[in-house]
Amino acid sequence: MNEAIFPISPLGGARQDKSAQDAAETSPGGAEPVRWVVVWQGPGLLPAQIVADRLRLEGIPANAWQEGAGRAIGLTVGLLGTGNVSVPETHEDAAREALAAEADEFDDELDHDEAADPD
């Protein structure tokens, strides 16, 4: 009777709640940890957020971040000012391809603009 009123938590080890067990089996990644890799670095958090949003538009989970100390004091240069974009390791190749395609498209636009304005 006490067990029904005060069930021991999964951390206690005596009984695991069925809903917690179902969540572990059906959650993305399950109990497997997700490894994140940095696919882009640039000056500050704002450009990193733009790049992360661009990857999200492609359906790639992305996280923009900056070292806490650099963010706290507003640095945009140096090691503490570097903005980073990370993606799950399973999406690394797709993210690098999307970023390379975006860079190629940007270079093409620059070449077109320089040809139109020779100054």
Side-chain angles (χ1 to χ4, degrees):
M1 186 163 188
N2 282 342
E3 186 174 333
I5 297 172
F6 302 106
I8 298 173
S9 71
L11 297 176
R15 188 181 111 192
Q16 186 171 4
D17 186 5
K18 179 70 173 151
S19 61
Q21 186 177 22
D22 290 343
E25 292 173 358
T26 60
S27 297
E32 191 75 23
V34 176
R35 292 180 35 99
W36 291 78
V37 294
V38 175
V39 294
W40 186 89
Q41 290 184 318
L45 185 59
L46 184 59
Q49 289 172 332
I50 293 169
V51 171
D53 285 343
R54 179 66 180 97
L55 289 174
R56 288 184 199 118
L57 285 174
E58 296 288 329
I60 300 168
N63 184 28
W65 59 277
Q66 180 181 6
E67 291 294 335
R71 187 171 181 190
I73 57 178
L75 292 176
T76 58
V77 295
L79 292 176
L80 294 178
T82 301
N84 301 283
V85 176
S86 299
V87 299
E89 189 175 47
T90 56
H91 292 84
E92 181 180 9
D93 293 336
R96 291 191 187 279
E97 287 175 15
L99 292 173
E102 191 76 18
D104 290 344
E105 185 177 317
F106 182 73
D107 289 342
D108 291 343
E109 287 179 19
L110 283 180
D111 291 342
H112 181 345
D113 289 345
E114 287 175 1
D117 183 25
D119 292 333

